[in-house]
Amino acid sequence: MTTEPREHAAYDFAYVQEKWLPIWDKLEPFKSGRADDARPKKYVLDMFPYPSGDLHMGHAEAYALGDVIARYWIQRGFNVMHPIGWDAFGLPAENAAIKRNEDPRIWTYENIATQKASMRRYACSFDWDRVFNTCDPEYYKWNQWLFIELHKRGLAYRKDSAVNWCPGCQTVLANEQVVAGLCERCDTAVTKKKLNQWYFKITDYADRLLDDMAQLEGQWPDKVLTMQRNWIGRSQGANVVFEIEGRTEPVTIYTTRPDTLYGATFMVVAADSPLAAELAAGGSVEKEFTEYLEKIKAASDIDRLATDRPKSGVDLKRFAINPVNGEKLPIWASDYVLADYGTGAIMAVPAHDQRDLDFARAMKLPVRTVVETGEEDPASSGVATHGDGVMINSGSLNGLKKVEAIAAITKELEAKGLGKSSRNYRLRDWLVSRQRYWGTPIPIVHCDKCGEVAVPADQLPLTLPDAKGLDLKPKGQSPLAAATDWVNTQCPTCNGPALRDTDTMDTFVDSSWYFLRYPSSTNHDEPFSRKDVDTWLPVDQYVGGVTHAILHLLYSRFFTKVLHDIGMLGFNEPFTRLLNQGMVVMDGSAMSKSRGNLVRLSDELENHGVDAIRLSMVFAGPPEDDVDWSDVSPSGSVKFLTRAWRLSGDVTSAPGVDFTKGDLSLRKATHKALHDASFAVESFRFNVAVARVMELVNATRKAIDSGCGPADPAVREATEAIAIMLSLVAPFTAEEMWERLGHKPAVALAGWPTIDPALLVADEVEAVVQINGKIKERILVSPTITDAELEAQALAHPTIAQELAGATPKKVIARAPKLVNIVL
RNA sequence: GCCCUCGUAGCCCAAUGGCAGAGGCAGAGGACUUAAAAUCCUCCAAGUGUGGGUUCGACCCCCACCGAGGGCACCA
């Protein structure tokens, strides 16, 4: 736009936006420093977007918050890297491609261009030199390289397993794509299907993923740490060996309560485990068992997850021998025991485990209490007791407490070779295969002679075949399988005919290490250089939605640890500090087209301007809270920005004027605002920082209109401070103010004003005098007064003396210079 | 069922255990104006979900309950 400035009495945000964007393009204020930069580094990272269309309100909030942090540290003199890229592989592009019958690349790169242009207009302080997209062969080449590194170390492997299967979409689903038992996209009930798939062995890192969280304590939201702990779900217990009648091999069970071993009255094996099938085979129960197995396999996740589901199972008519007392325990098969947790078999102690008790009552099995807790007998109450108590009916354990009994029995079992202390995890290995087109091809060749062979590094990237001619519709097999020219290849080892793996990688692989690539985004020889990561990593501040609290963050932590072990990284946690912003909602619920409460970002920007929208997002409340757009007032933000902008036109002193000659009370307000705003930003209370700027704007307005007047140096000092503070939130307004104040762009690089500590202390402060906690008097005292002096002044005060009426205080608490409390 | 977070003016939100109010929205009145808009000034409001406890002193710490939101969910 080349319109001349209108005669605008009011601040014209549209004009100001068009005016500064090309100037900033030329200045490139946010290029992070290169090798010779002496400033201390800060790596501020926003979670990269998925290019699903243009930016929406959620992006507007996230990037506004990340920008405040990045711009703050730049002003504070740090060499800030604030990069952006696109998480560009994934199903929405594939679905759009199917619908439009074109290559997913077209939709993806168009959307990236759209989002990039919107980010520029939104004045994000990104370093545009470091951009990459995960669907660029130059990027996914390194996914493949990393896959092979994991494969070399046994951390990438294939296995048969029952995976989530959506009959509607004809594809496997990740756990996170199954919402309440339904496919998140088509709402079809998800079933299980046995498939041979690739996994990453994240379970090898379970303990470190848990224990290293100690480093993150206080730096990450507690909520996220708790969620990760629960997700990993480490439990401490013991494996116990039970002999089985008529079977050579004993069966090992896992329990967290070995102390209750004498209370076991039956054993349960997972119905879908090989063990259950073997124990049922050939016996009178085989038919009944097979029917049961068919029934539970047909059950959807919906049924399986129902909380009040009655227990079911089959008596296998076989017996296990309790190692501590030789008792014969009937063995049952049931679906309440999971085949892939622990050993897939449990000892059932109905008195002290609710599930076992429910099962025992349903099947009329005996209940034996072995911990006397003082509560009602579980056999009659139907409520299992979990608490501590005294062991009974337990041979050598009788009389012991829970902890003592666990130690004693574990030791006893270990001595006899019948058991040992053991740990289990809820965390499962990460299923990375996807039967989809738009992802990173798995760089493995299957050869009849040589088995699975990694594609040699010099043949990477293994690029996706052209989408033209491929049917991308989901049909249970990867679309890549149909690209016969691509699939048929030579074995890299024996040069014989071989087939490529046709699956692609989960897109979470792409995002698990992208933050390592930004410092080396143009490196063609390695995924990242050790020198670059040593310079920039770990990420000092990560900003993103809480929706990624578990998966993305857990996977990234896992990758970081693996790369640390390989020797490519010198640290083991990728993100030092984490901020989770809330969502933008409307009238209390998430925005959606179907709900009819969608607010379009482009409309809001059109109506109120970029700065007002950014300000509204930041000022709406604490960043981790949801922003309800019906509660915020963008027009109020416009009003405030206009008010601030007007100050810059009122200042009449010249740039460079000596501030120390300025009005003292306004100077104090300025320095206090700078001090408080710094503190607020550093503790993520951006809304409070904005409130401090508003106060200073009000104080400056008053000083101009009815105080020291526009020519006072303090008015310039205050207005310049306002421009600099506003540059974090409202860059256009701030830049315009900065120019009107007689400075050259860019205000983003002006530097945070130095705070004079002498101006932060008041000459006199008001101290409160309380009697028995009730305020009786306020007195003006020096801020440096001692406790004793304050106490003396308080007691000598006429009002207080009168109140006391000669009574001797029991106690006097003085907290100089704020208050005195006299206790009678 | 288990775990986590949060309840402060009409609304959004502030308050290192020390005067409950910083800021904003909405509302009322006034100045300016022929009038309106814009702008400026002034005013308005809760005793902190409920009940206990610790403390000289509690919005803040502890316990119980009520309410809202979120996470996990047959993990032995």
Side-chain angles (χ1 to χ4, degrees):
Chain A
M1 205 195 274
T2 53
T3 46
E4 287 303 305
R6 282 177 257 161
E7 281 303 317
H8 44 274
Y11 167 61
D12 183 348
F13 62 77
Y15 164 74
V16 169
Q17 285 168 205
E18 293 307 324
K19 169 179 167 186
W20 288 112
L21 282 173
I23 296 172
W24 291 340
D25 287 344
K26 219 174 266 169
L27 283 174
E28 297 189 308
F30 305 114
K31 258 182 135 137
S32 32
R34 299 314 197 247
D36 56 345
D37 202 308
R39 295 173 297 171
K41 75 95 186 179
K42 256 313 163 188
Y43 186 174
V44 179
L45 182 63
D46 292 293
M47 288 182 186
F48 63 169
Y50 183 83
S52 53
D54 201 356
L55 300 183
H56 53 65
M57 296 298 279
H59 293 119
E61 188 200 4
Y63 298 134
L65 297 173
D67 230 38
V68 170
I69 297 175
R71 287 170 176 270
Y72 173 75
W73 289 114
I74 292 167
Q75 295 286 24
R76 294 309 302 246
F78 283 78
N79 177 16
V80 172
M81 178 166 67
H82 186 207
I84 193 72
W86 275 269
D87 188 15
F89 269 140
L91 213 54
E94 202 159 326
N95 289 341
I98 292 165
K99 206 166 148 191
R100 298 159 58 157
N101 193 25
E102 65 178 29
D103 194 309
R105 285 169 184 86
I106 297 170
W107 184 88
T108 303
Y109 284 102
E110 275 176 8
N111 284 341
I112 289 172
T114 303
Q115 291 195 347
K116 192 173 176 182
S118 294
M119 285 171 175
R120 171 181 170 268
R121 279 196 300 276
Y122 199 61
C124 295
S125 62
F126 294 135
D127 180 345
W128 295 108
D129 288 354
R130 299 180 185 274
V131 172
F132 58 77
N133 312 304
T134 57
C135 63
D136 300 338
E138 180 62 34
Y139 182 83
Y140 72 69
K141 168 183 179 177
W142 301 114
N143 277 348
Q144 294 170 333
W145 187 88
L146 289 165
F147 185 98
I148 292 165
E149 288 299 307
L150 264 67
H151 187 245
K152 274 184 203 163
R153 291 166 175 80
L155 292 170
Y157 68 98
R158 283 194 303 159
K159 72 172 175 188
D160 284 315
S161 181
V163 297
N164 298 310
W165 176 260
C166 173
C169 300
Q170 290 286 301
T171 184
V172 295
L173 296 178
N175 285 329
E176 68 272 13
Q177 291 169 320
V178 182
V179 179
L182 300 178
C183 170
E184 70 166 353
R185 287 196 318 279
C186 68
D187 280 347
T188 307
V190 171
T191 59
K192 295 285 180 194
K193 189 169 180 174
K194 211 153 209 179
L195 285 173
N196 186 272
Q197 303 275 279
W198 284 98
Y199 289 83
F200 284 163
K201 214 166 185 182
I202 192 172
T203 52
D204 269 11
Y205 285 78
D207 279 321
R208 283 165 65 188
L209 287 166
L210 259 181
D211 298 337
D212 289 350
M213 267 190 262
Q215 296 172 44
L216 308 175
E217 209 72 56
Q219 306 291 311
W220 282 32
D222 287 342
K223 183 181 167 179
V224 175
L225 294 176
T226 305
M227 283 165 73
Q228 294 225 345
R229 276 192 197 97
N230 293 342
W231 186 263
I232 297 166
R234 179 161 71 193
S235 92
Q236 177 66 50
N239 283 335
V240 185
V241 178
F242 283 67
E243 294 296 333
I244 307 296
E245 271 192 2
R247 188 178 193 259
T248 331
E249 277 295 301
V251 165
T252 302
I253 61 96
Y254 173 73
T255 177
T256 54
R257 294 292 303 275
D259 55 315
T260 62
L261 193 44
Y262 285 88
T265 55
F266 54 101
M267 176 184 275
V268 187
V269 296
D272 55 342
S273 66
L275 177 62
E278 182 219 302
L279 291 175
S284 57
V285 298
E286 184 166 358
K287 186 162 172 277
E288 191 192 346
F289 172 77
T290 310
E291 283 167 9
Y292 179 66
L293 194 58
E294 289 306 313
K295 203 178 84 188
I296 62 170
K297 270 190 177 160
S300 67
D301 274 20
I302 289 283
D303 303 323
R304 211 177 54 76
L305 291 171
T307 47
D308 51 354
R309 189 158 167 260
K311 292 280 184 285
S312 63
V314 176
D315 184 352
L316 298 178
K317 310 280 189 210
R318 300 285 296 263
F319 295 91
I321 310 299
N322 189 329
V324 288
N325 57 13
E327 276 183 4
K328 275 175 68 172
L329 307 179
I331 304 176
W332 286 69
S334 173
D335 64 349
Y336 90 89
V337 171
L338 306 177
D340 62 348
Y341 183 78
T343 61
I346 63 153
M347 65 170 191
V349 184
H352 307 296
D353 182 283
Q354 191 59 48
R355 296 154 301 185
D356 296 347
L357 183 56
D358 293 343
F359 192 82
R361 285 162 74 94
M363 304 303 168
K364 308 233 172 349
L365 293 160
V367 178
R368 184 194 302 146
T369 303
V370 291
V371 184
E372 188 50 74
T373 62
E375 292 160 275
E376 201 185 333
D377 180 10
S380 49
S381 69
V383 179
T385 60
H386 301 100
D388 202 355
V390 179
M391 303 303 303
I392 55 169
N393 301 326
S394 294
S396 61
L397 302 179
N398 282 339
L400 296 179
K401 303 278 246 177
K402 181 171 160 180
V403 183
E404 301 162 346
I406 290 175
I409 192 71
T410 307
K411 202 173 157 196
E412 196 181 314
L413 290 167
E414 274 175 13
K416 294 182 183 162
L418 292 171
K420 63 177 183 185
S421 166
S422 167
R423 275 175 177 177
N424 268 302
Y425 305 86
R426 230 191 55 116
L427 182 71
R428 305 295 201 272
D429 276 339
W430 172 11
L431 168 60
V432 294
S433 308
R434 293 292 181 272
Q435 290 74 48
R436 293 173 183 168
Y437 172 77
W438 194 227
T440 306
I442 289 177
I444 295 287
V445 169
H446 300 281
C447 170
D448 282 343
K449 263 191 358 215
C450 312
E452 54 190 50
V453 181
V455 175
D458 61 12
Q459 291 177 24
L460 299 179
L462 168 60
T463 51
L464 277 167
D466 202 319
K468 200 181 275 175
L470 292 182
D471 179 11
L472 301 184
K473 285 196 200 74
K475 52 197 165 300
Q477 197 187 24
S478 171
L480 295 184
T484 41
D485 290 352
W486 185 87
V487 172
N488 288 298
T489 185
Q490 275 189 327
C491 170
T493 308
C494 70
N495 287 326
L499 298 173
R500 293 201 185 280
D501 201 294
T502 57
D503 284 348
T504 53
M505 294 182 208
D506 180 3
T507 55
F508 273 105
V509 175
D510 314 349
S511 54
S512 293
W513 68 279
Y514 78 104
F515 48 91
L516 302 170
R517 179 72 181 165
Y518 284 127
S520 308
S521 59
T522 54
N523 190 327
H524 301 299
D525 306 320
E526 37 186 1
F528 51 86
S529 82
R530 180 65 194 255
K531 187 170 162 290
D532 287 339
V533 289
D534 282 351
T535 303
W536 287 104
L537 274 285
V539 173
D540 295 282
Q541 180 64 60
Y542 200 22
V543 181
V546 75
T547 43
H548 298 105
I550 297 175
L551 293 158
H552 162 58
L553 293 172
L554 195 68
Y555 295 153
S556 298
R557 296 181 60 222
F558 163 59
F559 259 59
T560 300
K561 288 173 202 307
V562 172
L563 293 169
H564 171 266
D565 292 353
I566 292 176
M568 295 179 70
L569 297 176
F571 54 92
N572 59 21
E573 282 295 337
F575 311 122
T576 305
R577 216 170 168 218
L578 173 68
L579 172 65
N580 285 134
Q581 88 275 4
M583 292 195 309
V584 184
V585 301
M586 189 63 185
D587 296 316
S589 48
M591 291 182 186
S592 75
K593 254 186 223 154
S594 56
R595 243 191 219 98
N597 65 348
L598 198 71
V599 177
R600 281 170 51 115
L601 176 60
S602 53
D603 293 346
E604 297 299 301
L605 294 175
E606 181 73 21
N607 293 336
H608 308 286
V610 169
D611 281 357
I613 298 309
R614 291 173 56 125
L615 176 69
S616 298
M617 292 291 184
V618 169
F619 185 56
E624 49 298 334
D625 288 4
D626 286 349
V627 175
D628 195 324
W629 202 246
S630 63
D631 288 332
V632 308
S633 169
S635 56
S637 297
V638 172
K639 209 169 103 177
F640 163 69
L641 290 171
T642 308
R643 218 168 125 77
W645 169 84
R646 282 182 51 236
L647 294 176
S648 62
D650 291 348
V651 173
T652 54
S653 58
V657 70
D658 184 3
F659 295 150
T660 61
K661 301 234 160 45
D663 177 78
L664 192 60
S665 68
L666 183 59
R667 294 207 70 210
K668 283 187 171 180
T670 301
H671 285 254
K672 185 169 180 342
L674 284 164
H675 175 264
D676 290 358
S678 307
F679 182 69
V681 169
E682 286 179 37
S683 48
F684 299 153
R685 283 147 56 249
F686 310 128
N687 52 327
V688 177
V690 171
R692 292 294 167 270
V693 182
M694 288 175 167
E695 274 180 276
L696 185 58
V697 168
N698 291 343
T700 309
R701 180 80 264 152
K702 200 169 237 171
I704 292 170
D705 290 349
S706 57
C708 57
D712 193 287
V715 169
R716 169 166 285 275
E717 183 182 33
T719 309
E720 290 188 352
I722 289 164
I724 290 166
M725 288 189 279
L726 270 185
S727 75
L728 312 186
V729 184
F732 293 104
T733 310
E735 194 71 89
E736 189 70 13
M737 286 178 73
W738 198 240
E739 184 187 49
R740 279 155 57 97
L741 285 164
H743 294 293
K744 289 205 154 47
V747 65
L749 304 177
W752 205 250
T754 308
I755 298 163
D756 182 352
L759 291 170
L760 295 176
V761 288
D763 297 332
E764 269 191 331
V765 292
E766 197 178 65
V768 208
V769 186
Q770 302 175 326
I771 295 179
N772 289 338
K774 291 214 163 52
I775 298 155
K776 295 293 177 186
E777 194 53 68
R778 294 152 199 277
I779 55 178
L780 287 174
V781 296
S782 150
T784 54
I785 194 168
T786 65
D787 285 352
E789 286 165 351
L790 180 62
E791 181 178 331
Q793 277 198 32
L795 289 170
H797 195 280
T799 322
I800 301 303
Q802 195 186 335
E803 283 275 347
L804 291 176
T808 317
K810 238 188 268 174
K811 197 172 175 183
V812 180
I813 293 110
R815 288 283 178 276
K818 289 175 124 177
L819 96 157
V820 179
N821 188 12
I822 300 160
V823 187
L824 293 179

